[in-house]
Amino acid sequence: MSPMPGTIEQHADFESVESVSAALDRVGYVSTAEISTVVFLAARMNKPLLVEGPAGVGKTAIAAALNSICGAPLIRLQCYEGLDEAKALYEWEYAKQLLYTQMLREKIGETISQTTNLHEAMESLADEEAVFFHERFLLARPLLAAIRSDVGSVLLIDEVDKSDPEFEAFLLELLSDFQVTVPELGTFHAEVRPVVVLTSNRARELSEALKRRCLHLYIDFPDPARERRIVAKHIPDVTDELNRQLVAFVNGLRELDLRKVPSISESVDWARALLVLNADALDADLVRDTLGVLVKYQEDADIVAPRIPEILREVANAG
């Protein structure tokens, strides 16, 4: 099955699930069979990819990896409560429009000089309004920029669950038809369809309408073997034994009732911190001194601190 015409998938070696895994590995993303399969299907079927899971498990990194593989621009829309079309789609450059109005003041005067009343003057100006609602005054925001890109793009709609349901509904036209509408100019269709990746931390449930338009992928915390591979990929100088110890310790923390359990990003940061400190093995004092790299809330630190010796014993026994 050949790539669908007009997609940037044709720029990537996505001949099989295995080739996707290899491509992701080359750009530093440690994949699984499930992740590679869903990415492969999303590319071949030209469907948006909705990636859900806890914070810090590599959801956003999938978009960055696809950007590296495809060589197309990465366009990111960071979602938040109150995000609207003006920030996501386009805005008019009113200052530039005003400047042109001032520069063309004499021509505007000539246009209305032949009119006899206000109504005629308004009608005369209305005939020329297309001059001021022209693409030269259009300031493209991420969604429109992705649609208009003639080389394709990887469009990351990050943390879509933080946006309002109304904005989520607005996205449906884009996700269904890869087009957006600017009332003053008409509808823009993607000549080269973007690869679309949406991420969600599941702060709220997304609509069925949005989910139907996407292939779904849930990424959970990795098993220890994969997490060690991820740490080694990011911090190649970490020794195998220190890598084993720190991953086992982080997995022990994930079993506690914490406000925020450490994610993969904390594991990588901790490995980097331990290397800076020239550590080659974990001990209780070292863990206490670097605990702020792993836990982000004081109430979590209060829970973890008395459990450090116990978790370290479990790490030693597991080795």
Side-chain angles (χ1 to χ4, degrees), residues 245-261:
Q245 290 181 20
L246 73 88
V247 167
F249 189 90
V250 169
N251 275 265
L253 294 188
R254 290 178 186 151
E255 296 178 2
L256 302 179
D257 185 20
L258 303 180
R259 178 176 174 181
K260 182 189 180 303
V261 297

Side-chain angles (χ1 to χ4, degrees), residues 100 122 292 299:
Y100 272 63
M122 289 292 292
E299 55 264 43

Side-chain angles (χ1 to χ4, degrees), residues 1-4 9 14-15 40-41 43-46:
M1 179 179 177
S2 60
M4 295 181 65
E9 193 272 336
F14 284 175
E15 294 299 323
F40 173 74
L41 291 174
R44 281 306 184 95
M45 297 169 65
N46 207 25

Side-chain angles (χ1 to χ4, degrees), residues 12 25 47 54 79 111-113 123 145 172 176 182 186 192 207 224 235 239 253-254 270 281 287 304 307:
D25 186 71
K47 296 273 285 185
C79 296
T111 299
I112 64 175
S113 64
E123 288 297 321
L172 299 182
S176 294
V182 177
V192 182
S207 70
I235 315 294
T239 65
L253 294 188
R254 290 178 186 151
W270 198 30
V287 172
V304 171
R307 302 290 296 274

